[in-house]
Amino acid sequence: MLPELFRRYTPELLITFFGLIFLIAAFGEIGGEAGAFLTSALDVALFVILALLVYLAGTRHPAYRWIAYLWLLLIVAALAAAAVGFGAIAILPEGVLETEEIDPETVDLAMAAQVALLLLGVFVAGLASLVGLSRRFRVWLAGYLPFDPDSLLHTVALVVILAMILIPPMPLLVTGVPPFLSEPFLDLLLESGDLLAETVTLNAYTLFWTLIGSFFIAGVFIRRTGRETLERLGLVRPTVKEVTFAVGAGLVLVAVFHFIDLALAMLVGALGLPVTDMEAVNLLFAGTLTLPGIIVASVAAGFGEEVSIRGLLQPRLGILLPALLFASLHAFQYSWDGLISVFLAGILFAYIRQYTNTTTSAITHTVYDLVLFSMMMVGISI
């Protein structure tokens, strides 16, 4: 009786579970490993709750549809707020992060204009993402993708993806500096020894929650069995041939992108656009540059990003949109040359996933990152 009850109300129980995690992580004061573990679930919890609300809208009561739309708008607003917050770091006077106060005398007209432009850009990007709510747009998109224009799940997924493509690059577009590479942010990072020391565990926790979230968004225990979910995500036991191909492809991509990155840096610089400061990138990843750190970071990025982007999204939204999303997710840490490079890498990972499976693309991605991080660790310029 009890197992049957759990199966029947699995979506409600999961919403409650992830809702509690979100509330505790966002508003609780839990420190240590437990706090880091829960904080790593914040982003994932938002999207899992959205997917579960959509499922309930089709199986329980139509009111859940409007709750799902409201939650969708809250997610877009949260993305916008994060972009404004991190973007402001590169604009506001030095010392603001430490004091958490702004001295009006240190804010000049140019600085105020940049903040206003950042707010406007993020607002327009968020508003533009809502085009996904237009059925005409979705029908047009369905002409090119295996996308159901009448599916609520596909609709909310499209809006979220458009928001995550359009909003994160706005701070770079306005300030010319990726927020995570700005001097105030790097100074704060380097002063916080604990944060650098926790990088390895944070990457591991992020991987855990990303995989858990991808499985629940794909409908495990709700619309699909565990085996069906693995199939939907493209996760299989790789053959020896696939592993060999993935390792070789990862090594080849490192060599190829060495020259691609140099060419992109020259091209972007010639156009007068900001080029990624690799010394700042090395500082940003300083907490990762140990043997355990690079292994965990590479696996976390390789499997986490491939399962969530190529495994979960690509079968419904094709290659281009997920590749743009993949690039946009790096907009806080790379300038335009880096973003173009990540986009091109995403296209190649996407074709590997399309012609093999997600496991193979994840191994390729992991090997690629592992070599790059190893080069950074031994001081070889990338």
Side-chain angles (χ1 to χ4, degrees), residues 169-218:
M170 281 300 154
L172 173 61
L173 184 64
V174 172
T175 68
V177 180
F180 290 171
L181 299 189
S182 63
E183 288 188 17
F185 184 87
L186 288 175
D187 290 343
L188 182 66
L189 185 69
L190 294 175
E191 289 173 6
S192 177
D194 291 340
L195 186 59
L196 288 176
E198 293 170 357
T199 300
V200 177
T201 54
L202 286 174
N203 281 329
Y205 295 154
T206 299
L207 171 62
F208 171 81
W209 286 112
T210 300
L211 293 178
I212 290 293
S214 297
F215 272 77
F216 281 124
I217 292 172

Side-chain angles (χ1 to χ4, degrees), residues 53-350:
L53 287 172
V54 170
Y55 174 79
L56 290 174
T59 59
R60 295 289 195 270
H61 194 280
Y64 279 108
R65 185 182 189 90
W66 300 108
I67 298 174
Y69 279 134
L70 177 60
W71 194 255
L72 172 65
L73 294 177
L74 289 174
I75 289 178
V76 174
L79 290 170
V84 170
F86 283 110
I89 292 175
I91 299 174
L92 296 176
E94 294 184 10
V96 171
L97 293 179
E98 290 81 2
T99 62
E100 297 183 355
E101 295 181 359
I102 300 176
D103 183 356
E105 294 183 359
T106 64
V107 179
D108 57 24
L109 186 59
M111 191 178 296
Q114 267 196 317
V115 172
L117 190 58
L118 175 62
L119 288 168
L120 178 62
V122 168
F123 175 77
V124 171
L127 196 62
S129 69
L130 300 181
V131 71
L133 297 176
S134 166
R135 188 176 185 279
R136 178 177 295 183
F137 176 76
R138 298 197 305 272
V139 169
W140 172 81
L141 192 65
Y144 301 92
L145 301 175
F147 176 84
D148 182 358
D150 295 315
S151 165
L152 179 60
L153 180 60
H154 291 186
T155 298
V156 298
L158 177 61
V159 173
V160 169
I161 290 166
L162 290 175
M164 295 180 72
I165 290 173
L166 297 172
I167 293 175
M170 281 300 154
L172 173 61
L173 184 64
V174 172
T175 68
V177 180
F180 290 171
L181 299 189
S182 63
E183 288 188 17
F185 184 87
L186 288 175
D187 290 343
L188 182 66
L189 185 69
L190 294 175
E191 289 173 6
S192 177
D194 291 340
L195 186 59
L196 288 176
E198 293 170 357
T199 300
V200 177
T201 54
L202 286 174
N203 281 329
Y205 295 154
T206 299
L207 171 62
F208 171 81
W209 286 112
T210 300
L211 293 178
I212 290 293
S214 297
F215 272 77
F216 281 124
I217 292 172
V220 68
F221 305 140
I222 300 172
R223 295 182 293 113
R224 293 183 172 92
T225 64
R227 178 172 293 184
E228 289 171 342
T229 304
L230 287 171
E231 183 179 347
R232 164 66 179 83
L233 294 174
L235 292 171
V236 301
R237 179 182 296 176
T239 64
V240 173
K241 182 178 180 180
E242 287 171 337
V243 173
T244 303
F245 168 79
V247 172
L251 296 174
V252 169
L253 288 178
V254 171
V256 169
F257 273 91
H258 173 73
F259 297 101
I260 290 177
D261 290 345
L262 288 176
L264 286 173
M266 293 176 59
L267 176 62
V268 169
L271 293 173
L273 297 172
V275 176
T276 302
D277 182 347
M278 294 312 300
E279 291 186 5
V281 171
N282 289 340
L283 287 175
L284 181 64
F285 290 112
T288 302
L289 302 182
T290 63
L291 184 57
I294 63 175
I295 292 174
V296 172
S298 300
V299 173
F303 278 84
E305 291 174 352
E306 290 305 306
V307 171
S308 59
I309 294 177
R310 251 68 67 176
L312 183 63
L313 301 178
Q314 184 173 316
R316 298 292 179 266
L317 293 166
I319 289 176
L320 182 60
L321 283 177
L324 287 171
L325 171 62
F326 180 55
S328 184
L329 290 176
H330 294 78
F332 283 5
Q333 66 193 53
Y334 296 131
S335 292
W336 298 111
D337 57 320
L339 295 186
I340 297 171
S341 177
V342 172
F343 171 74
L344 294 176
I347 293 290
L348 293 175
F349 291 142

Side-chain angles (χ1 to χ4, degrees), residues 351-369:
Y351 276 108
I352 292 174
R353 189 265 186 260
Q354 180 171 317
Y355 291 107
T356 57
N357 48 65
T358 303
T359 307
T360 303
S361 68
I363 296 173
T364 305
H365 192 157
T366 299
V367 171
Y368 178 80
D369 283 353

